[in-house]
Amino acid sequence: MIRAGKLDRIRWLFLYSNDFINLTAFLSLIQLTLAWEENWAPKPVIVAAFALLLVFFALSTRPLRIATRGGRRPTLLLAVAAVITLAFAAFSMVWLVPVWLGIVSPFLSRRVFWIMAAVVTGLTFVYVAILGGLPFVLITMVLTLIVTGGTLANVRIWRIAQEAYAGQEAKAALAVSEERLRFARDLNDLLGQSLADIAAGAGRAETTLGADPERAAAEMLEVRDLARRSLREVRTAVQNYRALDLGEVLASVRAVLEAADVHCAIDTDDTGDLPAEARTLLAAVVREGATNILKHSTAQRCTITIKNGVLEMSNDGISPDAGEPGGLRGLSQRLSAAGGTLSAGAADGVYLLRAAV
């Protein structure tokens, strides 16, 4: 069973609340019932009006669903709903007008919508004043404010939720990018001078090769030794990249997860007894695990425990195909080289990342 994400739950709340708001269109049933009982209109006409009311309600549920999926404006659907609204208004049933304004609002710019809303509601109030006087105008005004205002508020909340979700994804992507840039800078600092020295030594060997082969050979031996030393430095940098402070990483991860609305509980023993290399490896695992939570889950809770050199990091909100993200493979190799182990997997709706050093 696929678990709904946070954005999906907000979307459902938005759509179902608007469906409830759109039920105000059925206030026309009161007038249709009176028309049936007092024979204001032929029975087939009343039955047809009731069918049209059901059609209008069904149509009113579609535009906002299309809008939340980023679809194109359903012009034909909105036009049909407008025709039905005008047909009911012609018989003094204006309850469909605010509903129609609400369903059309996501597809218009703010200025165009407010101009159209002012014109439509103004004409409606004049029409209602002619038909029923001031009390009818006040009722229509209150209903319009509730229905149209409620829909506009929901649309605004939905857009804020989308922006927040996009910001969360951007934050996770930025964390990964910053780490890659940091590693690139360190690697450039590490190799830049070495490669320059290698190039200079090879150039000197090329210059002296014809005149003094022995000196050229000596230069190339230096180049070889420099290349080997650079290779060892690169391997060391890759295997033991950056000495991370475990305490700082835990505090940073908690702050980032809490900011993303993920409750983070941390329980650790005295990690100061662990070797520096072990603390660095565990810090790298915690940081990578937090990045994966932000990128690949809809977690609401995360638990981090470190006991006797064993890290366990678990979270809910896993995707149905949760496996081992690619970023953990490099960490697994680093831990194996240091005599440790790393495992990751999902069970019973919980993703567990476990590292032992």
Side-chain angles (χ1 to χ4, degrees):
M1 180 179 179
I2 299 177
R3 179 175 175 175
K6 295 177 184 176
L7 195 62
D8 290 326
R9 292 194 291 271
I10 295 174
R11 177 175 175 270
W12 293 343
L13 178 63
F14 163 62
L15 293 175
Y16 294 145
S17 62
N18 271 281
D19 290 345
F20 181 78
I21 290 173
N22 292 346
L23 287 174
T24 55
F26 284 102
L27 288 173
S28 299
L29 283 177
I30 299 174
Q31 292 171 276
L32 289 176
T33 302
L34 291 174
W36 180 280
E37 292 178 350
E38 299 182 11
N39 293 318
W40 290 352
K43 295 295 193 295
V45 174
I46 297 174
V47 172
F50 178 73
L52 274 179
L53 192 59
L54 292 177
V55 170
F56 176 85
F57 179 75
L59 294 178
S60 72
T61 64
R62 296 303 305 159
L64 296 182
R65 284 168 169 78
I66 294 172
T68 56
R69 292 192 177 96
R72 298 177 59 184
R73 181 172 61 196
T75 305
L76 179 60
L77 186 152
L78 295 173
V80 172
V83 170
I84 297 175
T85 301
L86 288 174
F88 273 80
F91 294 94
S92 74
M93 289 177 279
V94 296
W95 317 112
L96 279 62
V97 173
V99 174
W100 184 81
L101 285 174
I103 65 176
V104 79
S105 62
F107 303 99
L108 300 175
S109 66
R110 185 175 300 178
R111 176 180 296 181
V112 172
F113 172 76
W114 285 117
I115 292 174
M116 186 187 70
V119 172
V120 171
T121 54
L123 292 174
T124 301
F125 292 157
V126 171
Y127 177 61
V128 168
I130 295 172
L131 291 177
L134 183 60
F136 200 17
V137 172
L138 292 176
I139 294 173
T140 306
M141 185 180 298
V142 171
L143 184 64
T144 301
L145 289 174
I146 293 174
V147 175
T148 307
T151 303
L152 290 175
N154 273 345
V155 170
R156 179 59 179 163
I157 291 172
W158 167 248
R159 288 174 178 168
I160 291 173
Q162 284 183 304
E163 292 172 0
Y165 185 78
Q168 179 177 325
E169 289 191 326
K171 184 188 297 182
L174 182 61
V176 175
S177 298
E178 286 180 346
E179 185 62 23
R180 289 173 177 171
L181 288 173
R182 187 182 298 115
F183 183 76
R185 287 194 299 269
D186 290 351
L187 198 60
N188 178 72
D189 294 340
L190 181 66
L191 287 178
Q193 187 60 45
S194 296
L195 292 177
D197 293 342
I198 290 173
R204 289 193 299 270
E206 181 183 13
T207 301
T208 59
L209 180 60
D212 192 348
E214 292 184 0
R215 182 179 175 186
E219 291 283 359
M220 290 307 298
L221 287 175
E222 292 183 7
V223 168
R224 183 196 64 184
D225 293 340
L226 182 58
R228 287 176 175 174
R229 184 167 66 251
S230 299
L231 180 60
R232 286 194 301 270
E233 291 175 350
V234 170
R235 285 175 175 170
T236 301
V238 171
Q239 294 295 327
N240 304 290
Y241 175 56
R242 289 188 82 237
L244 301 173
D245 184 278
L246 181 56
E248 291 181 0
V249 169
L250 288 172
S252 175
V253 163
R254 169 181 275 171
V256 170
L257 291 178
E258 295 284 355
D261 200 23
V262 180
H263 177 69
C264 183
I266 298 177
D267 181 17
T268 65
D269 56 12
D270 187 7
T271 57
D273 295 336
L274 296 174
E277 182 183 4
R279 294 197 302 272
T280 297
L281 288 172
L282 291 181
V285 173
V286 170
R287 189 171 57 185
E288 181 67 24
T291 300
N292 290 333
I293 289 174
L294 293 174
K295 289 184 63 178
H296 304 300
S297 80
T298 57
Q300 292 182 315
R301 297 185 61 84
C302 171
T303 301
I304 303 173
T305 61
I306 302 177
K307 302 290 183 181
N308 300 319
V310 178
L311 163 71
E312 290 189 349
M313 188 171 182
S314 62
N315 64 274
D316 58 2
I318 61 174
S319 60
D321 57 345
E324 181 178 316
L328 295 178
R329 297 190 186 100
L331 285 175
S332 179
Q333 295 173 0
R334 289 177 59 184
L335 265 76
S336 296
T341 60
L342 184 144
S343 61
D348 300 326
V350 175
Y351 190 87
L352 177 63
L353 174 63
R354 186 177 189 277
V357 292

